Amino acid sequence: MAGSTAIPTRREPTPEEFVAMQQSSEFQELRSTFRGFTFPMMIASLVWYLLYVLVATFASDAMARPFLGLNVGLWLGLLQFITTFAITWFYVKWANKNIEPRAAHIREVMEG
């Protein structure tokens, strides 16, 4: 057909190639970089969430105090959402810079 664009064909890597790539230093570095960011961020967000639950459970009087037109508990609840979105935004920016280029290179090597 005139004017149609050809879809590039990709090679399907063999199971042995997947295992070899998984054991390569390039993949191990990518995995280490990913884990170095995500694990601490996950732990921090879980601690923040558990702190919120514990304060709500054991310091309900403090959570009920008025603050800027709402009570402290509502403000902390809103902060839970805000920090979740902030962490997601920060991760996307970080991953686009630190993970995606490396993953794209590995994909290119694997698929040809």
Side-chain angles (χ1 to χ4, degrees):
M1 281 193 236
S4 67
T5 58
I7 298 173
T9 58
R10 297 185 305 177
R11 183 179 71 78
E12 182 71 31
T14 65
E16 293 79 19
E17 289 174 317
F18 278 113
V19 171
M21 179 55 79
Q22 183 182 19
Q23 295 171 350
S24 73
S25 61
E26 182 179 15
F27 183 82
Q28 294 302 319
E29 183 181 319
L30 174 66
R31 192 165 132 183
S32 176
T33 301
F34 173 77
R35 288 180 174 179
F37 180 89
T38 56
F39 285 2
M41 204 50 87
M42 178 189 64
I43 290 168
S45 63
L46 284 174
V47 167
W48 165 226
Y49 174 73
L50 289 175
L51 178 68
Y52 174 73
V53 171
L54 289 172
V55 170
T57 302
F58 297 110
S60 57
D61 291 341
M63 296 286 266
R65 289 190 185 142
F67 181 72
L68 298 176
L70 297 174
N71 64 32
V72 172
L74 285 174
W75 283 114
L76 291 178
L78 288 171
L79 281 174
Q80 287 287 319
F81 285 101
I82 292 168
T83 56
T84 299
F85 287 116
I87 289 169
T88 303
W89 174 81
F90 186 60
Y91 171 75
V92 168
K93 290 190 67 70
W94 177 85
N96 285 339
K97 180 181 176 186
N98 297 292
I99 298 294
E100 290 304 319
R102 294 178 188 179
H105 179 259
I106 289 172
R107 187 169 36 257
E108 185 178 310
V109 167
M110 293 295 290
E111 294 178 351

